[in-house]
Amino acid sequence: GLGAGPETLVGIALKRTPEMLVALLAVLKAGAAYVPLDPDYPAARLAYTLVDTAPVVVVTSEEVKARLLRESLYNDRLLSVDAAEVREAVGREPEHNPADHERRAPLLPRHPAYIIYTSGSTGRPKGVVIEHRSVGVYAAWAGHVFTAEDWAGVLASSSILFDLSVFELFVTLIHGGAVVLVNVVMDLPQVPARERVRLLATVPSAARALLESGPLPAGIRTVVLGGEVVSSSLAQALYAGGRLRKLYNIYGPSECTTNSTFSLCDTETEPTIGRPVWNTRIYVLDSSLEPVPPGTAGELYLGGAGLARGYLSRPELTAARFVSDPYGTEGARMYRTGDLVRWRVDGELEFVGRADNQVKIRGFRVELGEIEALLGQHPGVGQAVVVAREDQPGNKQLVGYVVRSPGAELLPAGLRQYLAERLPGYMVPAAIVEMENLPRTTSGKIDRRALPAPEFTAQSHRAPRTPQEEIVAGLFAEVLGLEQVGIDDNFFDLGGHSLLAIQVVTRLRSVLLVDVPVRELFQAPSVAKLSEIMVAHEPTPGHIARVAVIYKQVQSTSMQ
């Protein structure tokens, strides 16, 4: 009744509650496509998405609505699911599924189902338009591969901004399964329904972090990993408990509906990205779009039913990435992934690397050019380059290197804050290193290999002043692997990143019984500042101070 229908967009700006899932289904039943909006994202990122998509309505809550209005992010039609008048209106609606004549127009397989935004090399994120038919074909394949036992309890921990959520939510429900909804995957050990989980889908770095925190719940029989390279050591660690039956490695860009290939991993061989899912065409081609022989690296092109319509309102970029398929039927397209792969003699695909500056950080796709472009817009920055480093095995981090503009005053901490106000947390570099000049090769290009490793050392000597600060400092030190942290030290300057930030807020929730949004840690990254800002989230005045005192007393007694 508010204008949602085929070829229209509806924003979803809700926290991870059952109402969020109901809202997603409501958009699809109305025939529209949903646009996921993370309430914790920086204002600039939310504003960009809202302007780019121009939704007919944004489904939200009173709390999130207040933020959107307060920060002037969106002033059009906002529908709060917890507003009294909305609940009353919903109660008057019919309970049957909407028929075609009740929609603005008939819903067809070619109509959009959702739009997922990915990082853009030009500095502008791009919206990937996925159609209903692509999700339908993908769901049919998943129903063939996974079992009724798997669907009986699927952990849904992925943000709806990322397409793994399509598998966790819709594909699970399509096959009659049960969704176990959590905020983040690191919540799993504390979730009351954890023993109901049979299938866990996440990124390899999160799976390793879960294993480091303790054994997986006993009921998990299947693990699905995607978004990063799966190592044989991780596969062995997951199988080591003896209860896991199947470990799948999935691969696929958002432009091709969740995943395009899959493989069943074992403990004996190095994991591959496997073989294509149903109705998917795979080509490994050279620069002339000619197939390369097995064992030779080439660029991966994908075709078939999973291909997106293209990028929202970006026809030139769509034409550049979704190119004509010379090996398919007339009019067929294929997506140029930018990934380098090679065929093995056994018919499995092996991932080699990237052909450009796109990287994966904890499963998130990041175009380094987007971060570099934003740094370059800062008046104090003359030159900027961003790289992904893995100075410690298993801990890949973004690091920025800048040369200041002549006469400018520049502080790396200020640049990180500048980026945090414009980018999702996973795209903010763990460190920014100021340099007099960027190293260059003999041809004049920036020599990324010659860039120095950042140094992460605690600088503050101020000790905690309260039991609350003592607990927060202890949690910082624990997740960062340091002996101690001063109350003025910056969590991210010490090597913290988005996954470790999630671990901090998860442990704060279990220790101090207070729910602090992850974005608060990015805005208040020291023990002192975070301890102050946490007070705004306590359920009753003085709650945190009381719980902190009790916790320290219990700790002291247990040590004796």
Side-chain angles (χ1 to χ4, degrees):
L2 297 177
E7 300 295 339
T8 65
L9 307 178
V10 175
I12 301 291
L14 290 166
K15 294 190 174 181
R16 295 182 66 78
T17 63
E19 286 80 8
M20 177 197 75
L21 180 49
V22 173
L24 293 171
L25 293 171
V27 173
L28 296 175
K29 282 191 177 286
Y34 69 85
V35 179
L37 302 161
D38 191 329
D40 290 333
Y41 263 27
R45 192 73 164 206
L46 286 173
Y48 173 87
T49 305
L50 288 165
V51 170
D52 199 45
T53 56
V56 296
V57 61
V58 172
V59 183
T60 185
S61 64
E62 289 291 87
E63 178 188 353
V64 179
K65 177 181 177 180
R67 184 199 172 196
L68 294 175
L69 293 174
R70 182 176 65 251
E71 300 181 14
S72 299
L73 299 179
Y74 196 72
N75 298 307
D76 293 333
R77 186 169 283 162
L78 293 166
L79 184 70
S80 297
V81 297
D82 51 351
E85 62 271 20
V86 173
R87 290 189 177 277
E88 291 173 6
V90 169
R92 294 191 295 269
E93 293 294 320
E95 295 184 0
H96 63 77
N97 287 335
D100 279 343
H101 70 272
E102 295 174 298
R103 295 193 181 97
R104 294 175 64 251
L107 176 61
L108 302 174
R110 61 176 172 78
H111 284 137
Y114 63 84
I115 293 179
I116 293 279
Y117 273 79
T118 67
S119 183
S121 58
T122 62
R124 291 174 55 200
K126 49 191 184 292
V128 181
V129 184
I130 297 292
E131 298 173 339
H132 277 267
R133 58 184 171 189
S134 296
V135 182
V137 171
Y138 175 72
W141 164 80
H144 175 76
V145 173
F146 300 98
T147 67
E149 183 182 15
D150 293 327
W151 301 126
V154 176
L155 187 74
S157 62
S158 300
S159 166
I160 60 172
L161 277 79
F162 303 102
D163 52 5
L164 189 56
S165 64
V166 173
F167 173 86
E168 296 172 337
L169 299 175
F170 305 126
V171 178
T172 298
L173 296 178
I174 283 171
H175 294 293
V179 170
V180 181
L181 190 66
V182 297
N183 284 317
V184 293
V185 70
M186 296 306 297
D187 285 347
L188 177 59
Q190 289 82 40
V191 174
R194 60 186 174 277
E195 297 305 328
R196 290 194 58 183
V197 178
R198 298 291 177 268
L199 186 151
L200 166 66
T202 188
V203 297
S205 53
R208 190 173 291 281
L210 273 175
L211 287 176
E212 290 173 353
S213 67
L216 296 180
I220 293 179
R221 295 290 179 266
T222 302
V223 170
V224 179
L225 298 179
E228 298 172 324
V229 174
V230 178
S231 66
S232 58
S233 62
L234 177 57
Q236 292 165 2
L238 287 165
Y239 276 121
R243 292 188 291 261
L244 189 67
R245 295 174 185 166
K246 292 182 178 181
L247 170 63
Y248 288 99
N249 182 25
I250 62 173
Y251 161 87
S254 297
E255 289 84 350
C256 299
T257 312
T258 307
N259 67 280
S260 304
T261 71
F262 74 111
S263 67
L264 182 61
C265 304
D266 57 37
T267 58
E268 304 298 326
T269 56
E270 197 69 29
T272 70
I273 59 174
R275 302 169 185 269
V277 304
W278 288 359
N279 296 286
T280 296
R281 299 190 303 275
I282 287 181
Y283 307 113
V284 183
L285 308 177
D286 62 18
S287 58
S288 301
L289 299 187
E290 292 292 333
V292 300
T296 302
E299 185 170 357
L300 176 61
Y301 289 76
L302 298 171
L307 250 62
R309 175 184 293 187
Y311 299 113
L312 182 68
S313 304
R314 307 281 288 275
E316 292 183 0
L317 185 58
T318 298
R321 303 302 296 189
F322 295 85
V323 298
S324 177
D325 181 353
Y327 306 100
T329 58
E330 184 177 356
R333 302 175 305 151
M334 57 183 184
Y335 173 68
R336 182 178 183 179
T337 68
D339 286 328
L340 300 176
V341 299
R342 57 173 161 248
W343 287 112
R344 296 199 324 188
V345 292
D346 59 2
E348 296 267 319
L349 267 182
E350 189 176 74
F351 181 79
V352 176
R354 284 292 299 179
D356 55 22
N357 282 336
Q358 184 190 111
V359 298
K360 285 290 186 77
I361 299 293
R362 295 173 291 283
F364 298 112
R365 188 165 120 186
V366 175
E367 292 279 4
L368 298 178
E370 181 175 356
I371 311 172
E372 292 172 349
L374 270 176
L375 278 173
Q377 293 170 17
H378 190 284
V381 175
Q383 294 177 285
V385 64
V386 179
V387 300
R389 303 185 63 100
E390 193 170 350
D391 297 305
Q392 295 180 345
N395 185 24
K396 183 182 290 186
Q397 295 179 313
L398 295 175
V399 179
Y401 298 85
V402 297
V403 176
R404 72 171 69 186
S405 299
E409 292 187 7
L410 194 62
L411 291 175
L415 284 178
R416 292 191 71 263
Q417 181 63 30
Y418 163 81
L419 293 176
E421 292 170 355
R422 293 161 175 80
L423 294 172
Y426 65 87
M427 292 184 69
V428 178
I432 292 183
V433 179
E434 184 179 348
M435 304 185 68
E436 290 188 9
N437 295 289
L438 296 176
R440 297 187 179 274
T441 63
T442 54
S443 62
K445 295 181 179 180
I446 294 174
D447 188 353
R448 295 172 181 263
R449 294 184 178 182
L451 292 166
E455 295 183 4
F456 299 113
T457 56
Q459 301 293 327
S460 170
H461 301 291
R462 283 214 299 164
R465 300 162 295 184
T466 65
Q468 176 182 333
E469 287 187 345
E470 190 175 346
I471 291 170
V472 176
L475 292 178
F476 274 26
E478 185 179 340
V479 300
L480 291 169
L482 301 173
E483 290 188 9
Q484 62 182 19
V485 172
I487 65 172
D488 300 312
D489 282 322
N490 187 302
F491 177 78
F492 300 101
D493 289 346
L494 298 178
H497 50 67
S498 57
L499 184 58
L500 294 180
I502 291 172
Q503 292 187 40
V504 168
V505 298
T506 299
R507 296 185 192 191
L508 284 174
R509 188 181 305 124
S510 62
V511 173
L512 294 178
L513 309 179
V514 61
D515 197 1
V516 181
V518 175
R519 64 183 170 90
E520 301 280 28
L521 181 51
F522 281 92
Q523 295 170 356
S526 70
V527 171
K529 291 180 180 178
L530 184 62
S531 297
E532 289 177 9
I533 209 167
M534 281 166 50
V535 175
H537 299 281
E538 58 184 355
T540 57
H543 164 86
I544 295 176
R546 291 192 298 271
V547 173
V549 170
I550 295 171
Y551 181 78
K552 295 303 297 181
Q553 289 174 343
V554 171
Q555 270 195 324
S556 176
T557 303
S558 63
M559 290 176 66
Q560 293 174 1

